[in-house]
Amino acid sequence: MEPVKVGICGLGTVGSGTFNVLVRNAQDIERRAGRAIVVEQIGARRDSPQVDLTGINVTRDVFEVARNPDIDVVVELIGGYDVARELVLEAIRHGKHVVTANKALIAVHGNEIFRAAAEQGVIVAFEAAVAGGIPVIKSLREGLGANRIQWVAGIINGTGNYILTHMRDEGRAFEDVLAEAQALGYAEADPTFDVEGIDAAHKLTILASIAYGVPLQFERAYTEGISRITFDDVKQAEALGYIIKHLGISKRTDDGIELRVHPALVPKEQLLANVHGVKNAIEVMGDAVGPTLYYGAGAGAEPTASAVVADLLDVARDMATHHDYRTPYLAFSGIVEGDESLPILPMENIVTAYYLRLLAVDRPGVLARVATILAEQGVSIEALIQKEATEGELVPIIITTHRTREANMNEAIRQLEALADIAGPVTRIRIEHLDENV
Amino acid sequence: MEPVKVGICGLGTVGSGTFNVLVRNAQDIERRAGRAIVVEQIGARRDSPQVDLTGINVTRDVFEVARNPDIDVVVELIGGYDVARELVLEAIRHGKHVVTANKALIAVHGNEIFRAAAEQGVIVAFEAAVAGGIPVIKSLREGLGANRIQWVAGIINGTGNYILTHMRDEGRAFEDVLAEAQALGYAEADPTFDVEGIDAAHKLTILASIAYGVPLQFERAYTEGISRITFDDVKQAEALGYIIKHLGISKRTDDGIELRVHPALVPKEQLLANVHGVKNAIEVMGDAVGPTLYYGAGAGAEPTASAVVADLLDVARDMATHHDYRTPYLAFSGIVEGDESLPILPMENIVTAYYLRLLAVDRPGVLARVATILAEQGVSIEALIQKEATEGELVPIIITTHRTREANMNEAIRQLEALADIAGPVTRIRIEHLDENV
């Protein structure tokens, strides 16, 4: 099948990330889409140091991309309202499908853009416009399609959440953390869109429309920022059992729809209260499913690219009319049973950390014997706690280890259980830090 | 457009829930799918007290549904391996699309079923097979399609998580909480599938195939249950900064794929450690997007029905060849601009709880004046804390309120700020409990 030919407009953070993900994961993406997705042209005012453009057709005029007859899909990543709107409408007029990450554009001009796309029979996809890499539009629009949605509440601006997180953790003032966020590149030189809630209101407007089936009405959103939150408020809230978060909330009531962005006290035990730093999360309440929550990176080059490319996959599948090109059952086409290039590993080969609980007879040298057995198996001890002796003079020993191979741990436990000093079986529970080294 | 005609096989918890959701939300579902989805026939050994079957064609022979020429989609909700496998294959042979919530069936017989479906050109959808109402299959298969998935880790058995949660919260033994869960209907009379990790291994097998593009290989999953976890382990883990959870973990390594279900110590600050009771959550690490997490109800009548009906929506859209029947941009068709039947509410009309911080002059009667103003506006005080006087004899007063109308709170704040006793503006932050009354 013919590859899908993509034109990327804008080569900033997200444009560079999108190009790099398409190139790096090209093989997997082709298996998922049932056809290749290739970058045919890039329109950008300047090149990007993050991207190797060797062999790529680059133009300085983004409208050239919108009119290029060889291009199937235009990816709009220039941002802003006016030029972006013109570009998207021009691409639609030329029969191109459009993928955009532009929340301001969709929130303000979406109704017009969708009408134009429907007239031309093309697709406009905008997963990346809300909460970066979190597939929340797909989840809300398709995955929760059975439900009457009752409310949506989310942390949908990473900059604001970064500031509130650091105010709380470090007892600092708003202005102080904002300056730091600007220095680190998490906040713009003009932070108004982020800290005054306009960016969040754009995203909430889109979520509300998808939740309830109403037109986009950004102009009716209530927007209140976090610039007046003091550390004293953060402390008082904490004492009352709350954490202050900047939320976008939309709720269906008998009278209509609430659509509001403002700081809020959230009970500490709620998952949303535990979303920290630049991360985003959206909680959705449906009448059938109850509460569900979607968490992840709400911004950044590759997280946003993840959503842009997911939209390209949807467009690629939708362009194909054959059933063979719908989403493969197991996500990838060409899965061969018995192919051992990516085998399921036997448990002996996994690598993880461990918690061990032993009952030892309280006599000299027992710790040394335990430690020696672990050392001989290459198991590195992180912590060892010897408890008070219980009745019968048995002493519980708690050990946590660094990451090691399961086979070595099995052998160590076998030897530990064979020691005369150790009573009964060794309790072994694996420790999973859920960091990059799961 | 013709309605999609559905035959439901099995009228237990999930079958009843599916029928009820399809009936209750029929209008919204039709707007989302672009066509109606109607129950044409039900095959069940007995009726369900949860369902009003008036006017519904009911048969005691589920295979009659699989062969009914009027039916487009067979929904398999009878569970188990053998009859379910026969039923699904028979439906496929008769050219029906199939939706199933049966994790055991897909994990063990999925490769065979997908082959049969591909030969017949029909769809088999199984979102409800993993984590109930959480759209994790769609998220992983479509929403994260840009990524090379690095690992998947999840709490994917609600019964096990219920037991571990109550052991920890109440200091109780495994057997004790299990007996309670059985009495409450959260655990089966024979709890082996849940507490020994077999059910979780079925689900993990499916997630791993979708994450990495490998065939379903349930027979290679490592499975360890929670029946040997003691309260002492829970306590020790807590002291070390961990919470014990029953996890399904699958990880891509250079040598192959880890596929394992076992109890694990998870650092307390991780979101997964804070998923309690019967809830499920799955964390997915992708190379572009980083970590994302999906949380919600992993079982139950309507949560599972939510996923079954989402699959029916996908099948309905896929059956249509016209682009008009792809997912509507704003999730619903027929959105009319200017239609005020579901208006966006002005902020004055929203109802929420509030945190107020006032600076008061420390003289007699100030609290009474503050309380009177709030009472006159119908604002009910939840807590009122008067702090020590700071310099200048100004006393901070912290107030939290019950839910009230924003307009009333605005008026109360206006009057409070007009009091001679109150210095400067009143700080007002809304409190959002994120419960059913958001």
Side-chain angles (χ1 to χ4, degrees):
Chain A
M1 195 147 186
E2 282 284 291
V4 175
K5 290 176 183 164
V6 173
I8 297 177
C9 295
L11 205 55
T13 305
V14 179
S16 304
T18 299
F19 182 88
N20 288 334
V21 169
L22 280 172
V23 170
R24 186 178 72 233
N25 291 346
Q27 218 178 341
D28 276 9
I29 289 168
E30 180 167 353
R31 283 183 69 200
R32 288 184 187 268
R35 58 202 295 192
I37 298 177
V38 299
V39 178
E40 179 77 13
Q41 190 175 32
I42 289 178
R45 276 174 303 173
R46 60 186 76 84
D47 292 350
S48 158
Q50 274 83 49
V51 171
D52 175 8
L53 291 173
T54 314
I56 303 290
N57 173 355
V58 180
T59 170
R60 296 294 168 222
D61 175 13
V62 291
F63 287 88
E64 201 181 295
V65 179
R67 298 176 193 127
N68 183 338
D70 292 336
I71 281 177
D72 302 307
V73 192
V74 170
V75 179
E76 184 277 303
L77 301 172
I78 60 177
Y81 299 90
D82 296 338
V83 181
R85 173 178 163 278
E86 265 314 303
L87 177 68
V88 164
L89 291 173
E90 181 76 357
I92 290 171
R93 270 193 293 274
H94 284 79
K96 315 297 183 202
H97 304 293
V98 172
V99 173
T100 177
N102 191 331
K103 56 226 65 168
L105 179 71
I106 295 297
V108 175
H109 300 297
N111 297 323
E112 175 191 15
I113 288 168
F114 300 150
R115 257 196 316 273
E119 280 165 21
Q120 286 287 327
V122 298
I123 306 168
V124 174
F126 51 95
E127 178 66 76
V130 180
I134 309 171
V136 66
I137 292 196
K138 181 175 281 289
S139 295
L140 190 51
R141 191 161 66 176
E142 303 171 28
L144 301 185
N147 293 268
R148 170 157 283 227
I149 303 297
Q150 294 160 330
W151 54 262
V152 176
I155 295 168
I156 45 182
N157 181 275
T159 308
N161 202 42
Y162 176 90
I163 293 173
L164 289 174
T165 300
H166 284 262
M167 284 175 69
R168 172 168 172 260
D169 288 354
E170 296 151 18
R172 291 160 66 192
F174 170 81
E175 295 75 16
D176 184 24
V177 183
L178 172 59
E180 179 192 82
Q182 288 171 317
L184 289 169
Y186 291 151
E188 309 277 340
D190 176 359
T192 312
F193 260 50
D194 289 324
V195 303
E196 295 307 339
I198 302 162
D199 174 76
H202 284 146
K203 296 166 181 166
L204 184 68
T205 296
I206 297 171
L207 289 175
S209 284
I210 289 173
Y212 312 118
V214 296
L216 297 154
Q217 295 161 82
F218 170 67
E219 69 285 358
R220 295 205 195 170
Y222 171 82
T223 305
E224 182 182 319
I226 56 169
S227 52
R228 285 175 307 165
I229 302 286
T230 66
F231 177 62
D232 193 39
D233 291 321
V234 172
K235 231 171 34 187
Q236 300 291 357
E238 188 101 25
L240 292 163
Y242 298 98
I243 294 177
I244 297 184
K245 291 294 181 190
H246 199 192
L247 295 188
I249 297 180
S250 182
K251 182 185 165 190
R252 180 202 291 267
T253 78
D254 291 341
D255 302 323
I257 289 163
E258 297 184 1
L259 190 65
R260 48 191 172 104
V261 172
H262 54 71
L265 277 70
V266 180
K268 268 182 198 169
E269 66 278 10
Q270 288 280 356
L271 286 178
L272 272 186
N274 294 289
V275 172
H276 303 305
V278 294
K279 288 293 196 286
N280 281 198
I282 299 100
E283 189 164 351
V284 181
M285 180 69 81
D287 69 339
V289 74
T292 60
L293 180 136
Y294 309 87
Y295 163 91
E302 294 215 351
T304 310
S306 172
V308 169
V309 173
D311 275 348
L312 286 171
L313 283 161
D314 275 359
V315 171
R317 293 190 198 106
D318 214 88
M319 283 169 62
T321 49
H322 296 294
H323 274 185
D324 298 352
Y325 293 97
R326 73 164 77 96
T327 311
Y329 290 113
L330 299 176
F332 293 81
S333 60
I335 292 177
V336 180
E337 276 179 79
D339 172 6
E340 288 290 309
S341 59
L342 203 56
I344 307 294
L345 292 175
M347 194 62 184
E348 292 71 36
N349 293 6
I350 74 122
V351 176
T352 190
Y354 297 85
Y355 157 100
L356 303 177
R357 183 163 52 84
L358 298 71
L359 280 178
V361 181
D362 193 9
R363 60 183 165 219
V366 57
L367 277 190
R369 282 186 287 279
V370 167
T372 302
I373 287 175
L374 291 171
E376 281 171 3
Q377 291 302 322
V379 177
S380 160
I381 295 173
E382 186 200 50
L384 190 152
I385 303 158
Q386 183 162 350
K387 297 276 173 184
E388 297 292 300
T390 55
E391 299 132 62
E393 294 183 7
L394 287 178
V395 188
I397 301 174
I398 309 291
I399 299 170
T400 61
T401 78
H402 292 290
R403 289 161 52 77
T404 192
R405 212 177 171 74
E406 178 101 350
N408 295 46
M409 183 51 76
N410 289 346
E411 177 57 23
I413 289 175
R414 200 191 58 74
Q415 292 185 23
L416 288 171
E417 290 178 341
L419 280 182
D421 303 315
I422 301 295
V426 172
T427 294
R428 172 251 306 272
I429 311 178
R430 295 168 192 88
I431 300 177
E432 304 294 345
H433 285 275
L434 301 175
D435 56 14
E436 63 283 1
N437 290 318
V438 148
Chain B
M1 194 145 187
E2 280 284 291
V4 175
K5 291 177 182 161
V6 173
I8 296 178
C9 295
L11 205 55
T13 307
V14 179
S16 304
T18 298
F19 181 87
N20 287 334
V21 168
L22 280 172
V23 170
R24 186 177 73 233
N25 291 345
Q27 217 178 342
D28 276 11
I29 289 168
E30 180 167 354
R31 285 183 67 201
R32 289 184 186 267
R35 57 201 297 191
I37 298 177
V38 299
V39 178
E40 179 76 14
Q41 189 174 32
I42 289 178
R45 274 174 303 172
R46 62 186 76 84
D47 293 350
S48 158
Q50 273 83 51
V51 171
D52 175 7
L53 292 173
T54 314
I56 302 290
N57 172 354
V58 180
T59 169
R60 297 291 168 224
D61 175 12
V62 291
F63 285 88
E64 199 183 299
V65 179
R67 298 176 193 127
N68 183 337
D70 291 336
I71 281 178
D72 302 307
V73 193
V74 171
V75 179
E76 184 278 300
L77 300 172
I78 59 177
Y81 299 91
D82 296 338
V83 181
R85 173 178 162 278
E86 265 316 302
L87 176 69
V88 164
L89 291 174
E90 181 76 357
I92 290 170
R93 269 193 295 273
H94 283 79
K96 316 296 183 202
H97 304 294
V98 172
V99 172
T100 176
N102 191 330
K103 56 227 65 165
L105 179 72
I106 295 296
V108 175
H109 299 297
N111 297 322
E112 175 191 15
I113 288 168
F114 301 150
R115 256 196 317 272
E119 279 165 22
Q120 286 287 327
V122 297
I123 305 169
V124 175
F126 51 96
E127 178 66 77
V130 180
I134 309 171
V136 65
I137 291 196
K138 182 177 280 289
S139 295
L140 190 52
R141 192 161 66 176
E142 303 171 28
L144 301 184
N147 292 267
R148 171 156 283 228
I149 303 297
Q150 292 160 332
W151 54 262
V152 176
I155 295 168
I156 46 181
N157 181 276
T159 308
N161 202 43
Y162 176 90
I163 293 173
L164 289 174
T165 300
H166 285 261
M167 284 175 68
R168 171 169 172 260
D169 287 356
E170 296 152 18
R172 292 161 64 194
F174 169 81
E175 295 75 15
D176 184 24
V177 183
L178 171 60
E180 179 192 81
Q182 287 171 318
L184 289 170
Y186 291 151
E188 309 277 341
D190 175 359
T192 313
F193 260 50
D194 289 324
V195 303
E196 295 307 339
I198 302 162
D199 174 76
H202 284 146
K203 296 165 181 167
L204 185 67
T205 296
I206 297 170
L207 289 175
S209 284
I210 290 173
Y212 312 118
V214 296
L216 296 155
Q217 294 159 82
F218 170 67
E219 69 286 357
R220 293 204 197 172
Y222 171 83
T223 306
E224 183 183 318
I226 56 170
S227 52
R228 284 176 307 166
I229 302 286
T230 66
F231 178 62
D232 193 38
D233 291 322
V234 172
K235 231 170 34 184
Q236 299 292 355
E238 188 101 25
L240 293 163
Y242 296 98
I243 295 177
I244 297 183
K245 290 295 180 188
H246 199 191
L247 296 187
I249 297 179
S250 182
K251 183 184 165 192
R252 182 202 290 269
T253 77
D254 291 342
D255 302 324
I257 289 162
E258 297 183 0
L259 190 65
R260 49 190 171 104
V261 172
H262 54 71
L265 277 69
V266 179
K268 269 183 199 169
E269 67 276 11
Q270 289 281 354
L271 285 179
L272 273 186
N274 293 289
V275 171
H276 303 305
V278 294
K279 288 290 196 286
N280 281 198
I282 299 100
E283 188 164 352
V284 181
M285 179 69 82
D287 69 338
V289 74
T292 60
L293 179 136
Y294 309 86
Y295 164 91
E302 293 215 352
T304 310
S306 172
V308 168
V309 174
D311 275 348
L312 286 171
L313 283 162
D314 275 359
V315 170
R317 294 189 198 106
D318 214 88
M319 282 168 63
T321 50
H322 297 293
H323 274 184
D324 298 350
Y325 294 96
R326 72 165 78 95
T327 312
Y329 290 114
L330 298 178
F332 293 81
S333 59
I335 293 178
V336 179
E337 276 179 82
D339 172 6
E340 288 289 310
S341 60
L342 203 55
I344 307 294
L345 293 175
M347 194 62 184
E348 292 70 36
N349 295 5
I350 76 125
V351 176
T352 189
Y354 297 85
Y355 156 100
L356 304 177
R357 184 162 52 82
L358 299 70
L359 280 178
V361 182
D362 194 8
R363 60 182 163 220
V366 56
L367 277 190
R369 283 187 287 278
V370 167
T372 302
I373 287 176
L374 291 171
E376 281 171 5
Q377 290 303 321
V379 177
S380 160
I381 294 174
E382 186 201 49
L384 189 151
I385 302 159
Q386 182 161 353
K387 297 278 174 182
E388 297 292 301
T390 53
E391 299 133 62
E393 293 183 8
L394 287 177
V395 188
I397 300 173
I398 309 293
I399 298 170
T400 59
T401 79
H402 292 290
R403 290 161 52 78
T404 192
R405 213 177 170 75
E406 178 101 351
N408 296 46
M409 183 50 77
N410 289 346
E411 176 56 23
I413 289 175
R414 200 191 58 73
Q415 293 185 21
L416 288 171
E417 290 178 342
L419 280 182
D421 303 316
I422 301 296
V426 172
T427 294
R428 172 248 307 270
I429 310 178
R430 295 169 191 87
I431 300 178
E432 304 295 345
H433 285 274
L434 300 175
D435 55 15
E436 63 282 2
N437 290 319
V438 147

